[in-house]
Amino acid sequence: MAGRLSTYWKKRDFGVTSEPRGEVARAHRSLSYVIQKHAASRLHYDFRLELDGTLVSWAVPKGPSLDPHVRRMAVHVEDHPLSYGSFEGVIPKGQYGAGTVEVWDRGKWTPLEDPREGMRKGRLKFDLEGEKLHGHWMLVRMNNHRDERHEPWLLIKEQDDAARPAAQYDIVQEMPDSVIPAKPVKAKRSSAAGKAPAKRAKAGAPRVKLPLSFSPQLATLVDSPPKAPGWIYEVKFDGYRILARIDGDDVRLFTRNGNNWTSRMKALAAEVAGLGIEGAWLDGEIVVLDAHGNPSFQLLQNAFDSSKTSDIVYFVFDAPYLDGRDLRRLPLLERRALLREAFARTDSSRVRFSEHFEADGAELLASACGRGLEGIIGKRADAAYSSMRSPNWIKLKCTKRQEFVIVGYTDPKGSRTGFGSLLLAVHDRGGELLYAGNVGTGFDDASLATLKAKLTALDTEKMPLAERPKGVKAHWVKPKLVAEVSFGEWTSDGRIRHPVFQGLRTDKSPEAITREAAVEPAPAEKPPRARENPAKGRRRPEGNGAQPALAKSMMRPAGEPSPAKATVRGVAVSHADREIDPASKATKLDLVRYYDAVAPAMLPHLVGRPVALVRGPTGVTGQLFFQKHGDSVRVPGIKELDPSYWPGHLAMLEIDTPRALVAAAQMNVIEFHTWNSTTRAIDKPDRVIFDLDPGEGVDWGMLVEATRLTKEMLDLLGLESFLKTSGGKGLHVVVPLTPKDDYDTVKGFSQAVVVHLARTLPKLFVAKSGASNRLGKIFVDYLRNGNGATTVAAFSARSRPGMGVSVPLAWSELAKLRSASQWNIFNLHERIAKQRGDPWKDYARTRQRLAGAAKKLGA
């Protein structure tokens, strides 16, 4: 039995590495699994299943995918001891697998067939019940390979409720962090009074154990600088994003995708170590400066190609962690004040503090373009740090410029050597590669020769594009290389004009390359002042009712950790500090406080309506439960309705007080969904809802246009409608009704509207659900109007990364809307603070029936 771990033992010196030696353990009834994120020479994910006392292990280079159509390579490696399943740490240099290891996911697995027979035959089917992964999965050995060492398998997600298309959701990118939370480090209490701003900020940031890996905040491309105040600007460096992890004398440099590049920049790592900073994650960009002091991407590329990286300069612009403290919840300017203070202790010429400018964005952009720079980066001065793409960071470019996947090349002409041009492509929302044109300029003789050698090694007979471009003769290559290209504009048929090759990008994955689309910048709003006694408005059947102050004091202050216990409206909140959303770092207490603050606005959408609850005991990334009745878990304060309202079913639920709303959140309720009728006339809907659900390949502009067209059609039918975001990816058009018609009549009418839209505009709308039917189109979900169907309530949070909120809007706001999850539990107070009046003020007064509209429609 011990022989099963002999290979594991031989590869490691346990006097040097902190990895557990372990032994073969006794078999357990409940089988565990773990996935460890391993940033060695290349980032990969170690997938381990407990079987017969050890962890049977596979190395998965790209990590798991929730898309059943995506098959991930999984290399079968040596067994590991069960004790390895809880290992997190740094494997020292010189040891096997040197790098950082963290527990990315963990839980229980259940074989669906005999697992030993499955290992022997090379086909293992199982269920996962983890903190991130769920549902049916399968491991399949390739080509019936029987070599037990480094044999190739495929990890495949099977089709079930937990499956999601890769174009919509990449769980590796969206949930990068460890499932083991960083434990706060106790520090001596000290008064912050009288200290300098940087000192006070540091006092307000908790001490924590430095995480082993970290994902950077990404900027959103916009077409113009914001006009509102509250933004600072930095130079957009023409280089590679690098995150530096400093833990005492151990310094490691990582790309934005988590690849360890320390060995490629040993001199720079030594320079970072000399800063005298401890316990930090620094965020910045590496560049090589030209003779005029401007960043040159070509010179940076040449430095790596020639392995001469001594001229690389690291500009550091943020410090999510510094001196053992978690600064992410602090405002940007406070984080930068602490970072500047740290850099004041050093005079390094190769690691520099990146200065910012507080000036007019348009003037700075013009100045940057005049100097030949790539552009500028704008950041909200009061924003926290978020490990995701955020509208709080924006990028403005002097010319259009982005990455493309190289899919082929043409033959050279005349005296040119190497190749003529590169064929470029981008991925659509469905993951297909779309041809984007050729680039034939920007090369010299050296780059032509170097690049041609790389292309030849990737030659393939198979065309990687979804459709063959007309009139193009090319040599196809496997889509493994990423080129950065500047260009003039996009043509109407999806081609780029006047392209110029800038260099290869080895820090970005080809699978992540899509067409960049600029959006309008988000305004910077000053946080509203807290109100001691928010005014209480009168309750109405619909509409926003009283607008809450949603005072900043209701939210967790920047740098303040959630307490383990708290009391809100007399409700004891247990596990208040539990993180329920890794993307926003929201805790359970954050959500409870949100619902407490938003109760005056939300209750008019809940009172008198049967409600269904979406519960997530471990947060948005864990298993979710849909509760319509009070049979499974009774929530204090939530009312059970008379069973006669829905004969043949258990008693439905209603929430009619702020305390009940808070109590539900304490019981891990994240979302609230309601019926289309009230207890006054339970069988007669008082609204009809058109839920615009975009399929794969639908961009935001298409959804906005489809929503506008839906409103125009309803206007033609003589029906007044109201708009709200879903808090997820779609939009809701709500038509209030006088409750006279039954559910079958209302559902039949809504279906007729959707069918008419699909027939009139078949390239935009589809009347059938299902992912394959909705590809590139929008399904207007009329099924929300059936008896017993529910829709997420206004002001409800969503159980999705970022914790977006469903928000009522005025129709005049549609054109400037940036996404359906534009507002979340942390920033909704900003909207309400600037909002003048109720955008749904006419909802409760609207009286209309479907008879006339149905006659016009012919339904």
Side-chain angles (χ1 to χ4, degrees):
M1 290 289 289
R4 295 182 57 189
L5 293 177
S6 59
T7 303
Y8 170 82
W9 291 333
K10 289 177 182 177
K11 289 183 175 182
R12 291 159 177 84
D13 182 350
F14 295 104
V16 177
T17 181
S18 60
E19 297 167 280
R21 185 180 190 280
E23 300 288 343
V24 177
R26 292 182 179 181
H28 299 127
R29 288 186 178 180
S30 179
L31 299 176
S32 65
Y33 85 89
V34 65
I35 301 177
Q36 284 160 314
K37 187 176 180 180
H38 190 172
S41 56
R42 293 190 67 86
L43 178 68
H44 64 278
Y45 295 77
D46 293 314
F47 185 83
R48 312 189 195 280
L49 301 175
E50 176 185 347
L51 187 63
D52 295 331
T54 66
L55 292 172
V56 185
S57 300
W58 290 261
V60 184
K62 295 184 179 180
S65 171
L66 301 185
D67 192 334
H69 300 97
V70 176
R71 301 184 174 194
R72 288 285 162 84
M73 175 69 73
V75 180
H76 186 203
V77 297
E78 74 275 8
D79 287 8
H80 284 53
L82 293 188
S83 54
Y84 204 94
S86 59
F87 171 68
E88 284 199 330
V90 179
I91 302 174
K93 296 177 182 178
Q95 289 294 297
Y96 177 76
T100 58
V101 177
E102 62 179 342
V103 178
W104 182 80
D105 191 26
R106 60 185 175 182
K108 304 297 181 183
W109 78 286
T110 304
L112 300 180
E113 299 169 347
D114 184 344
R116 299 161 194 85
E117 185 71 7
M119 289 295 296
R120 187 180 67 81
K121 291 185 176 180
R123 188 178 182 87
L124 192 61
K125 302 187 73 173
F126 50 91
D127 267 349
L128 294 181
E129 183 181 346
E131 297 187 40
K132 294 181 180 178
L133 301 186
H134 304 278
H136 301 326
W137 293 78
M138 182 165 52
L139 276 161
V140 180
R141 186 166 54 224
M142 297 177 63
N143 301 323
N144 200 29
H145 202 297
R146 298 301 300 276
D147 182 4
E148 293 185 358
R149 294 195 308 168
H150 302 101
E151 58 187 11
W153 292 56
L154 295 174
L155 176 63
I156 306 169
K157 178 75 183 77
E158 295 199 61
Q159 188 66 57
D160 57 21
D161 291 342
R164 297 181 69 175
Q168 294 181 6
Y169 187 77
D170 183 343
I171 193 168
V172 170
Q173 295 293 325
E174 296 290 342
M175 303 179 65
D177 298 331
S178 168
V179 294
I180 299 178
K183 295 182 179 180
V185 178
K186 292 184 178 180
K188 295 181 179 179
R189 293 185 179 182
S190 61
S191 174
K195 294 183 179 180
K199 297 291 186 181
R200 288 199 301 269
K202 187 177 291 187
R207 286 189 176 276
V208 295
K209 182 180 178 181
L210 192 67
L212 295 169
S213 67
F214 187 74
S215 297
Q217 181 162 340
L218 303 177
T220 300
L221 178 65
V222 298
D223 52 11
S224 62
K227 297 179 180 178
W231 293 83
I232 66 170
Y233 295 92
E234 302 168 17
V235 170
K236 188 177 190 307
F237 295 105
D238 199 359
Y240 285 157
R241 187 79 169 272
I242 291 291
L243 296 160
R245 184 182 188 272
I246 309 172
D247 189 6
D249 295 332
D250 183 22
V251 172
R252 297 169 188 266
L253 306 176
F254 296 92
T255 68
R256 55 183 280 181
N257 291 327
N259 291 317
N260 189 340
W261 278 18
T262 313
S263 61
R264 303 182 71 180
M265 298 179 288
K266 293 180 180 179
L268 183 61
E271 196 85 9
V272 173
L275 294 175
I277 297 174
E278 295 187 2
W281 275 98
L282 305 181
D283 189 358
E285 189 125 349
I286 57 169
V287 302
V288 172
L289 303 176
D290 62 18
H292 303 287
N294 290 336
S296 169
F297 186 75
Q298 189 65 56
L299 290 178
L300 179 63
Q301 186 70 54
N302 293 343
F304 282 109
D305 288 342
S306 62
S307 299
K308 296 179 180 179
T309 58
S310 58
D311 292 333
I312 288 178
V313 178
Y314 185 29
F315 284 95
V316 180
F317 45 69
D318 212 326
Y321 293 83
L322 189 65
D323 293 333
R325 296 180 183 272
D326 183 353
L327 309 186
R328 291 173 298 168
R329 296 301 298 273
L330 295 183
L332 171 64
L333 287 183
E334 292 187 24
R335 297 197 306 272
R336 285 181 56 80
L338 291 169
L339 183 61
R340 183 189 294 275
E341 182 181 280
F343 267 78
R345 304 193 295 261
T346 180
D347 58 355
S348 173
S349 62
R350 297 191 57 207
V351 184
R352 308 180 189 178
F353 178 76
S354 176
E355 297 290 349
H356 70 262
F357 306 91
E358 298 184 37
D360 181 76
E363 292 180 3
L364 283 174
L365 180 61
S367 176
C369 297
R371 286 190 56 190
L373 298 176
E374 186 184 354
I376 59 175
I377 297 289
K379 299 178 181 179
R380 283 187 54 164
D382 62 348
Y385 193 102
S386 176
S387 292
M388 58 193 299
R389 192 172 298 280
S390 167
N392 291 331
W393 286 18
I394 58 175
K395 51 185 176 182
L396 298 113
K397 298 183 178 182
C398 295
T399 61
K400 294 185 184 300
R401 179 166 167 164
Q402 74 158 79
E403 296 81 24
F404 295 87
V405 181
I406 300 174
V407 294
Y409 61 95
T410 62
D411 290 325
K413 295 181 180 180
S415 61
R416 185 160 180 164
T417 59
F419 57 87
S421 65
L422 300 175
L423 274 68
L424 307 174
V426 293
H427 288 93
D428 64 10
R429 289 288 298 275
E432 298 284 355
L433 279 169
L434 304 180
Y435 177 60
N438 293 25
V439 58
T441 59
F443 308 98
D444 55 24
D445 291 341
S447 60
L448 283 169
T450 301
L451 191 48
K452 178 57 165 54
K454 294 180 178 180
L455 294 169
T456 301
L458 296 173
D459 275 341
T460 180
E461 295 294 326
K462 183 180 179 181
M463 183 191 69
L465 296 169
E467 294 184 7
R468 183 181 295 272
K470 295 181 180 179
V472 175
K473 294 181 180 181
H475 302 278
W476 304 113
V477 297
K478 297 175 182 178
K480 303 292 186 182
L481 298 178
V482 175
E484 181 157 345
V485 177
S486 60
F487 57 97
E489 62 180 353
W490 286 94
T491 65
S492 59
D493 58 349
R495 308 290 191 265
I496 55 175
R497 297 187 61 184
H498 311 304
V500 178
F501 177 80
Q502 301 295 328
L504 290 180
R505 298 296 303 232
T506 56
D507 61 330
K508 295 190 177 182
S509 169
E511 291 82 4
I513 304 304
T514 59
R515 176 172 169 174
E516 289 189 351
V519 299
E520 288 193 8
E525 298 295 338
K526 294 183 178 180
R529 293 184 178 180
R531 297 182 186 176
E532 295 181 0
N533 297 305
K536 295 182 179 180
R538 64 184 178 87
R539 182 174 296 172
R540 297 182 298 174
E542 285 290 354
N544 287 8
Q547 292 297 335
L550 272 186
K552 195 173 182 181
S553 61
M554 303 298 291
M555 300 301 166
R556 176 160 45 113
E560 177 187 302
S562 282
K565 296 181 180 180
T567 300
V568 179
R569 285 194 188 267
V571 176
V573 182
S574 61
H575 306 291
D577 58 347
R578 178 195 295 147
E579 186 176 272
I580 61 173
D581 176 31
S584 66
K585 305 302 176 186
T587 65
K588 181 179 177 180
L589 182 58
D590 290 330
L591 183 63
V592 172
R593 284 175 169 171
Y594 166 76
Y595 279 125
D596 177 42
V598 83
M602 188 174 180
L603 282 174
H605 299 269
L606 297 174
V607 173
R609 293 188 187 276
V611 64
L613 313 173
V614 177
R615 301 176 59 241
T618 58
V620 304
T621 61
Q623 185 70 41
L624 301 175
F625 303 92
F626 205 72
Q627 181 180 348
K628 289 187 174 182
H629 313 286
D631 59 323
S632 55
V633 177
R634 296 187 180 276
V635 180
I638 295 184
K639 183 188 298 184
E640 288 192 5
L641 296 174
D642 191 314
S644 64
Y645 281 124
W646 203 11
H649 296 81
L650 295 171
M652 297 180 293
L653 305 174
E654 180 192 8
I655 290 179
D656 62 351
T657 67
R659 191 173 188 276
L661 190 60
V662 169
Q666 146 59 19
M667 294 297 290
N668 303 309
V669 175
I670 300 176
E671 298 185 10
F672 298 83
H673 295 239
T674 55
W675 277 40
N676 285 344
S677 56
T678 69
T679 52
R680 292 182 178 181
I682 198 68
D683 58 340
K684 303 293 175 61
D686 68 347
R687 69 187 183 196
V688 56
I689 292 180
F690 297 93
D691 177 3
L692 282 80
D693 187 5
E696 295 180 38
V698 175
D699 61 29
W700 179 248
M702 290 175 62
L703 180 61
V704 169
E705 178 66 9
T707 307
R708 184 185 64 80
L709 291 170
T710 302
K711 177 188 185 299
E712 289 183 356
M713 181 177 178
L714 293 170
D715 288 345
L716 291 173
L717 295 176
L719 294 174
E720 186 173 356
S721 59
F722 296 79
L723 175 68
K724 76 181 181 78
T725 66
S726 68
K729 62 178 183 177
L731 296 172
H732 295 163
V733 178
V734 185
V735 178
L737 300 174
T738 302
K740 297 294 184 181
D741 298 312
D742 59 21
Y743 267 101
D744 287 342
T745 300
V746 173
K747 181 181 177 182
F749 171 79
S750 64
Q751 182 177 8
V753 171
V754 173
V755 169
H756 182 79
L757 286 170
R759 287 175 179 172
T760 306
L761 299 165
K763 292 185 178 181
L764 188 60
F765 292 101
V766 64
K768 294 183 178 180
S769 61
S772 58
N773 296 322
R774 292 183 301 169
L775 187 63
K777 299 181 181 181
I778 295 163
F779 172 57
V780 184
D781 190 355
Y782 60 87
L783 301 174
R784 300 283 182 188
N785 300 299
N787 189 21
T790 60
T791 303
V792 68
F795 298 104
S796 172
R798 302 306 304 272
S799 52
R800 302 184 181 204
M803 302 209 73
V805 177
S806 178
V807 181
L809 305 172
W811 278 109
S812 59
E813 297 179 275
L814 177 61
K816 294 184 178 181
L817 191 65
R818 300 190 307 278
S819 79
S821 58
Q822 182 170 330
W823 293 283
N824 55 55
I825 66 170
F826 288 111
N827 68 9
L828 184 62
H829 69 280
E830 298 173 358
R831 167 181 169 78
I832 292 179
K834 71 175 183 179
Q835 188 171 298
R836 295 182 179 179
D838 183 350
W840 279 24
K841 60 183 176 61
D842 295 327
Y843 188 103
R845 297 195 293 267
T846 302
R847 300 286 185 268
Q848 53 192 3
R849 295 191 60 182
L850 295 179
K855 186 175 181 180
K856 292 179 181 178
L857 189 62

